[in-house]
C-alpha cells in the first residue's frame, strides 16, 4: 500500500511540471525556451514565501495540486483541438537526448564533496524531515543563515518523488539544464543550426570548469552563473517588451538572490544588463517618435510628440523601478528573517562584520587580523594568477578567442560586432567579482580558512563560467546577424551567398557538433568513474557502516557517537568526517578522533553510546 501511495505521488509530481509549463507558456505568453527555468524558479520562490510563513508543507502540497490542475487544463485544450503539440526540431531532439542521458545518470549518482554534508544536502534533508526552515535552536544545521533557494526546489521534488541522493541530484540538475535551455532562446533564426551547435558546444565546454563543482552534488557555484546567463537571454530576447522583462526578471533575479549569499552579485549583474536594455529600448523608441537622432530634430517636433517621448521615459523608469524592487524583495525578506527568527545567531560569514574581534573564540575560529592581511592578499594574488588554475586558463582563453573574433569581424568581414563591448564589460565584472572574493577572505572569513583560501577554485570558476558564457552568447548573436543572406521564408535553398559559403557553413556545423559531443562524453564518463569509486570514498564507507537515517517531524538521533578514523588528507582535522557522519546518522552529538588508546577504552565506552571505527 505504501509503495502504491509513493508511486502515485511521484506520478502526480511528474504531471505537475508539464502543467506549469503549459500555464506559463499559454497564459504567461512566455517563449518555450524560457518556460522551464521560469516555472522552476517560480516554484522555488513560492516555497520560499511559504517557508517564511511557516507553512512549507502546505505550500508544497498546494503547488502540486496547482500543477496537476494545469495539466488538466492542458488536456481540455488538447482534446478540444485548441492547441497542438510543438513541432519537432533537430536542436530540440539533440537537447532532449543529451538531457535524458544525464538525467538517467543523475539518478544513479552519489554525493562525495563534503560541502554537501556540511550544508547543501544537510539542509535538504532537514527540510524534508521537519517541513520548516531551521530555527535558531537547530544545532544540526551549522550554516542556517544561508539562503535556501535551490534547496527548496529540491525539497519540492523529493517530497513527492523520494529522498534518495540520486533524486536530489536529479532535481538540482533539472535546474541546470533548464538554464542551458534558456540560453538557446537568444537565437532568433531557428533554421540556422550552426547557431545552436555553436551554443551547444559552448555550454559543453563550460563543463571543463565544472570539475570541482560537478553535477554529482548539490553545490550551487555552477548554478548561479547559469541562472545569470538565463536572465541575460531573457533580457535580450524580450528587449522590445519592457513589461515582459520586468515580470520575468522579478522571478529569475529574485530566485537567484536567494540561492546563495553570493547570488546577489550574479543577480545584480543580470539586473544591470536588464536595466541597460530598458534604457536602450526607450532611446530607440524616442528616436522613432522624434524622427531623428539629433537634439535639433527633437526640438522641432510638436508638444504632443514630446509628451509621448516623456511618457515613454516614465514607463521605462516605472518598469525598471518595479523590476529592481521585486527582485530585491526576497533577499530583504530573508534578511528580515535572520534579524527576527534567527536573532542572536552569528553566521559563518557575518559574525566578524557585526561582532568584531571580541568573538575570536567563536565556533568558527578567529577572524583575519591586520597582521595577516598581507599574507592573505599575497596568497590570493598568487592563486588568482596561477597559470595552472582552471579559472585563469578559461578566462585567458576566452579573452584571446573573443578579441581575435572581434578583430577578424572588423577587418575581414567589415562588421562591428557587439562582442567587443561584451568583452570589456565581462572583464570589468570579473575584476569586481575577484575584488569581492578578496574582501570575503579578509573581512568575513575565519583566519584558518582565509589562509588556505577555502573554496577559491569554486568561487573563481563561477566567475569564469559567467565570463565565458556571456562571451559565447554574445558571439552567437553577432554571428546570427553576420550572415550575408537571410533565410527566405519560401525555403532554405537561398540561405548562402555562394557554394563555398555553404561548404564552410557545413564544416563549421560538423566541427562544433564533434567538439560538443566530445566534451559531453568526457563529462559523462567522468561522472560514471566517480560513481564507480563511491564505495571507497569517505561518504561511501560511512553509509555502508552506519546507513542513511531519516526521522520524521524534525527529530534527530539523541545518542552520543564517537567516530574513530585516520586523518588521511586532513579529513579529521578539517571536520569532513564529522560532517559526513552527522548527515548519515542524523545526530548532532558526533565527535571524531584519529586515535583511541586501549587503556582508556572502558572510560570511552561509558562516555559514548556508540563507537564507530572507520577502517
Amino acid at each position: 500500500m505504501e509503495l502504491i501511495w509513493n508511486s502515485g505521488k511521484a506520478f502526480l509530481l511528474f504531471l505537475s511540471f508539464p502543467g506549469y509549463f503549459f500555464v506559463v507558456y499559454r497564459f504567461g505568453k512566455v517563449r518555450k525556451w524560457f518556460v522551464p527555468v521560469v516555472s522552476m524558479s517560480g516554484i522555488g520562490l513560492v516555497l520560499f514565501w511559504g517557508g517564511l510563513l511557516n507553512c512549507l508543507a502546505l505550500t508544497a502540497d498546494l503547488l502540486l495540486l496547482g500543477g496537476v490542475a494545469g495539466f488538466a487544463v492542458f488536456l481540455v485544450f488538447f482534446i478540444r483541438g485548441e492547441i497542438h503539440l510543438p513541432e519537432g526540431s533537430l536542436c530540440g531532439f539533440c537537447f532532449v537526448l543529451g538531457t535524458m542521458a544525464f538525467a538517467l545518470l543523475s539518478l544513479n549518482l552519489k554525493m562525495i564533496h563534503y560541502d554537501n554534508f556540511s550544508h547543501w544536502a544537510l539542509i535538504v534533508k532537514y527540510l524534508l524531515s521537519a517541513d520548516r526552515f531551521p530555527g535558531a535552536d537547530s544545532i544540526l544545521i551549522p550554516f542556517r543563515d544561508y539562503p535556501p533557494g535551490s534547496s527548496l526546489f529540491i525539497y519540492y521534488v523529493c517530497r513527492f518523488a523520494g529522498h534518495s541522493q540520486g533524486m536530489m541530484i536529479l532535481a538540482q540538475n533539472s535546474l541546470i539544464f533548464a538554464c542551458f535551455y534558456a540560453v538557446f532562446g537568444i537565437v532568433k533564426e531557428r533554421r540556422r543550426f550552426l547557431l545552436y551547435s555553436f551554443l551547444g558546444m559552448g555550454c559543453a565546454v563550460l563543463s571543463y570548469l565544472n570539475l570541482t563543482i560537478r553535477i554529482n552534488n548539490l553545490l550551487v557555484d555552477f548554478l548561479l552563473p547559469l541562472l545569470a546567463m538565463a536572465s541575460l537571454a531573457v533580457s535580450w530576447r524580450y528587449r522590445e517588451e519592457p513589461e515582459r522583462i520586468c515580470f520575468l526578471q522579478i522571478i529569475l533575479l529574485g530566485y537567484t538572490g536567494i540561492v546563495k549569499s553570493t547570488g546577489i552579485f550574479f543577480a545584480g549583474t543580470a539586473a544591470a544588463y536588464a536595466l541597460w536594455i530598458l534604457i536602450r529600448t526607450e532611446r530607440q523608441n524616442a528616436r522613432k517618435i522624434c524622427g531623428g537622432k539629433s537634439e535639433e530634430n527633437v526640438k522641432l517636433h510638436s508638444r504632443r510628440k514630446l509628451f509621448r517621448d516623456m511618457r515613454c521615459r516614465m514607463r521605462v523608469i516605472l518598469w525598471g523601478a518595479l523590476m529592481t524592487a521585486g527582485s530585491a524583495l526576497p533577499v530583504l525578506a530573508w534578511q528580515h528573517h535572520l534579524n527576527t527568527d534567527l536573532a542572536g545567531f552569528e553566521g559563518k560569514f557575518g559574525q566578524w562584520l557585526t561582532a568584531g574581534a571580541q568573538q575570536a573564540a567563536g565556533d568558527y575560529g578567529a577572524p583575519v587580523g591586520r597582521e595577516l592581511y598581507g599574507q592573505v592578499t599575497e596568497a590570493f594574488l598568487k592563486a588568482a594568477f596561477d597559470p595552472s588554475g582552471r579559472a585563469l586558463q578559461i578566462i585567458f582563453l576566452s579573452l584571446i578567442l573573443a578579441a581575435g573574433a572581434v578583430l577578424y569581424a572588423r577587418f575581414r568581414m567589415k562588421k562591428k560586432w557587439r562582442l567587443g563591448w561584451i568583452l570589456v564589460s565581462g572583464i570589468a565584472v570579473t575584476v569586481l567579482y575577484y575584488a569581492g572574493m578578496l574582501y570575503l577572505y579578509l573581512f568575513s572569513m575565519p583566519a584558518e580558512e582565509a589562509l588556505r583560501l577555502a573554496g577559491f577554485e569554486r568561487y573563481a570558476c563561477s566567475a569564469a563560467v559567467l565570463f565565458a558564457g556571456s562571451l559565447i552568447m554574445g558571439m552567437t548573436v553577432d554571428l546570427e546577424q553576420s550572415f550575408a543572406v537571410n533565410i527566405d521564408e519560401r525555403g532554405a535553398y537561398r540561405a548562402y551567398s555562394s557554394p563555398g559559403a555553404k561548404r564552410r557553413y557545413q564544416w563549421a556545423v560538423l566541427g562544433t557538433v564533434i567538439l560538443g559531443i566530445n566534451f559531453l562524453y568526457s563529462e559523462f564518463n567522468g561522472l560514471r568513474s566517480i560513481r564507480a569509486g563511491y564505495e571507497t570514498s569517505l561518504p561511501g564507507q560511512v553509509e555502508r557502516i552506519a546507513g542513511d537515517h531519516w526521522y520524521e517531524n524534525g527529530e534527530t538521533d539523541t545518542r552520543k557517537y564517537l567516530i574513530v578514523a585516520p586523518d588521511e588528507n586532513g579529513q579529521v582535522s578539517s571536520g569532513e568526517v564529522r560532517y559526513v557522519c552527522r548527515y548519515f546518522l542524523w545526530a548532532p552529538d558526533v565527535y571524531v578522533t584519529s586515535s583511541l588508546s586501549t587503556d582508556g577504552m572502558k572510560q570511552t565506552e561509558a562516555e559514548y553510546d556508540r563507537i564507530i571505527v572507520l577502517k
Side-chain angles (χ1 to χ4, degrees):
M1 189 65 183
E2 183 179 357
L3 178 61
I4 297 176
W5 171 248
N6 292 334
S7 301
K9 291 192 298 182
F11 181 71
L12 292 178
L13 177 72
F14 178 77
L15 297 181
S16 71
F17 282 108
Y20 279 119
F21 293 169
F22 171 74
V23 170
V24 171
Y25 176 78
R26 177 79 177 190
F27 301 103
K29 306 298 181 182
V30 177
R31 290 183 173 91
K32 66 176 183 177
W33 302 102
F34 311 120
V35 167
V37 69
V38 170
S39 301
M40 294 176 183
S41 299
I43 290 173
L45 276 178
V46 172
L47 287 171
F48 173 76
W49 293 111
L52 291 180
L53 296 174
N54 293 321
C55 54
L56 184 60
L58 176 62
T59 304
D61 295 339
L62 292 177
L63 279 172
L64 179 68
L65 294 177
V68 174
F71 185 78
V73 173
F74 165 77
L75 289 180
V76 171
F77 274 68
F78 183 75
I79 293 173
R80 290 179 178 178
E82 299 182 23
I83 59 172
H84 302 282
L85 295 178
E87 297 181 0
S89 64
L90 180 58
C91 173
F93 173 78
C94 294
F95 189 88
V96 170
L97 185 63
T99 301
M100 291 301 299
F102 278 94
L104 294 176
L105 177 64
S106 298
L107 286 172
N108 194 42
L109 291 176
K110 293 281 192 175
M111 293 177 286
I112 295 180
H113 198 291
Y114 81 92
D115 275 354
N116 292 292
F117 308 103
S118 64
H119 176 72
W120 298 109
L122 191 70
I123 185 62
V124 172
K125 191 171 184 177
Y126 179 87
L127 293 174
L128 290 170
S129 302
D131 290 317
R132 63 176 181 272
F133 287 171
D137 58 343
S138 304
I139 59 176
L140 193 58
I141 310 297
F143 311 124
R144 41 197 177 274
D145 58 324
Y146 281 18
S150 59
S151 304
L152 290 171
F153 180 77
I154 300 171
Y155 162 81
Y156 175 72
V157 173
C158 294
R159 175 175 172 81
F160 305 107
H163 298 174
S164 68
Q165 292 187 30
M167 188 58 65
M168 295 179 188
I169 294 173
L170 177 62
Q172 174 99 331
N173 290 346
S174 65
L175 272 171
I176 291 176
F177 279 95
C179 294
F180 278 132
Y181 191 65
V183 169
F184 286 87
I186 64 173
V187 177
K188 186 177 181 180
E189 182 47 74
R190 295 179 298 173
R191 293 196 241 182
R192 294 286 188 186
F193 186 74
L194 174 61
L195 302 175
Y196 293 115
S197 64
F198 179 79
L199 263 182
M201 179 198 68
C203 293
V205 170
L206 293 180
S207 65
Y208 174 78
L209 293 172
N210 200 29
L211 296 183
T212 55
I213 43 178
R214 306 185 87 136
I215 60 174
N216 64 328
N217 61 75
L218 304 186
L219 277 66
V220 298
D221 302 271
F222 190 59
L223 176 62
L224 283 174
L226 296 184
L227 283 169
M229 290 169 57
S231 174
L232 297 177
V234 167
S235 297
W236 171 254
R237 194 62 189 273
Y238 287 104
R239 59 191 180 277
E240 302 297 335
E241 304 176 57
E243 65 282 355
R244 193 61 57 84
I245 289 179
C246 174
F247 290 117
L248 293 181
Q249 295 295 7
I250 286 177
I251 297 175
L252 292 176
L253 299 180
Y255 185 68
T256 304
I258 60 170
V259 169
K260 192 180 181 181
S261 299
T262 54
I264 299 175
F265 174 85
F266 294 95
T269 301
Y273 178 74
L275 290 173
W276 179 82
I277 286 290
L278 291 175
I279 296 173
R280 176 175 174 269
T281 302
E282 178 271 327
R283 288 179 177 175
Q284 291 178 346
N285 292 337
R287 289 170 181 171
K288 291 178 182 178
I289 292 173
C290 298
K293 299 182 180 181
S294 64
E295 292 295 331
E296 290 76 8
N297 288 337
V298 175
K299 294 178 181 179
L300 291 174
H301 276 73
S302 64
R303 293 181 179 180
R304 183 178 180 182
K305 290 187 176 182
L306 290 177
F307 174 76
R308 291 172 60 189
D309 181 22
M310 184 180 299
R311 185 175 62 180
C312 181
R313 292 175 186 270
M314 291 302 298
R315 284 184 60 217
V316 171
I317 294 174
L318 176 63
W319 290 124
L322 182 60
M323 182 191 72
T324 303
S327 302
L329 189 59
V331 176
L332 296 177
W334 180 251
Q335 190 60 45
H336 176 73
H337 169 72
L338 297 182
N339 296 333
T340 54
D341 297 341
L342 293 181
F345 172 73
E346 298 293 348
K348 177 181 179 181
F349 297 112
Q351 58 178 336
W352 312 122
L353 294 177
T354 58
Q358 69 271 20
Q359 292 195 9
D363 294 337
Y364 303 105
V368 177
R370 292 183 179 273
E371 68 280 1
L372 296 177
Y373 284 176
Q375 186 176 349
V376 173
T377 302
E378 182 181 0
F380 179 86
L381 293 176
K382 286 183 178 180
F385 293 100
D386 183 5
S388 63
R390 194 175 302 277
L392 182 64
Q393 290 175 4
I394 202 68
I395 289 175
F396 182 76
L397 179 63
S398 301
L399 191 153
I400 295 299
L401 293 178
V406 171
L407 294 176
Y408 179 85
R410 182 68 181 88
F411 296 104
R412 178 77 178 195
M413 301 171 60
K414 307 301 180 182
K415 294 182 180 293
K416 294 182 179 180
W417 278 10
R418 297 186 182 91
L419 185 62
W421 293 108
I422 298 175
L423 178 60
V424 174
S425 302
I427 293 174
V429 169
T430 304
V431 171
L432 183 63
Y433 182 86
Y434 270 78
M437 287 174 57
L438 180 58
Y439 181 89
L440 176 70
Y441 285 117
L442 291 177
F443 302 107
S444 301
M445 190 173 285
E448 185 272 330
E449 293 189 4
L451 288 171
R452 60 183 174 89
L453 299 180
F456 175 85
E457 190 172 4
R458 287 189 286 119
Y459 301 151
C461 283
S462 293
V465 168
L466 181 60
F467 179 75
S470 60
L471 292 177
I472 292 169
M473 295 170 64
M475 187 171 179
T476 302
V477 173
D478 284 334
L479 187 63
E480 181 180 19
Q481 298 175 353
S482 297
F483 286 104
V485 179
N486 293 326
I487 294 182
D488 192 272
E489 292 295 333
R490 292 170 295 177
Y493 63 94
R494 300 175 60 184
Y496 309 97
S497 59
S498 65
K502 182 176 181 179
R503 284 194 298 270
R504 291 192 294 271
Y505 179 91
Q506 291 171 334
W507 279 110
V509 170
L510 180 62
T512 52
V513 168
I514 291 176
L515 285 175
I517 292 177
N518 180 69
F519 279 107
L520 289 177
Y521 183 72
S522 175
E523 176 72 5
F524 190 89
N525 280 339
L527 292 172
R528 289 183 58 193
S529 176
I530 293 174
R531 177 62 184 92
Y534 174 76
E535 303 301 331
T536 59
S537 66
L538 176 61
Q541 297 176 44
V542 175
E543 185 179 13
R544 184 175 65 253
I545 296 174
D548 189 1
H549 296 263
W550 289 80
Y551 300 94
E552 297 180 354
N553 302 321
E555 296 181 0
T556 60
D557 189 343
T558 58
R559 288 176 292 189
K560 196 174 182 180
Y561 289 88
L562 176 65
I563 311 298
V564 184
D567 195 17
E568 298 176 354
N569 300 319
Q571 63 180 7
V572 173
S573 56
S574 65
E576 181 178 358
V577 173
R578 182 169 181 265
Y579 282 133
V580 172
C581 291
R582 278 162 58 98
Y583 174 85
F584 285 108
L585 294 171
W586 202 242
D589 292 330
V590 174
Y591 304 90
V592 183
T593 182
S594 57
S595 62
L596 183 63
S597 62
T598 55
D599 298 336
M601 193 64 181
K602 291 185 178 180
Q603 182 179 355
T604 303
E605 290 178 350
E607 184 177 356
Y608 296 94
D609 298 307
R610 295 287 188 275
I611 299 177
I612 298 177
V613 180
L614 299 180
K615 292 188 179 180

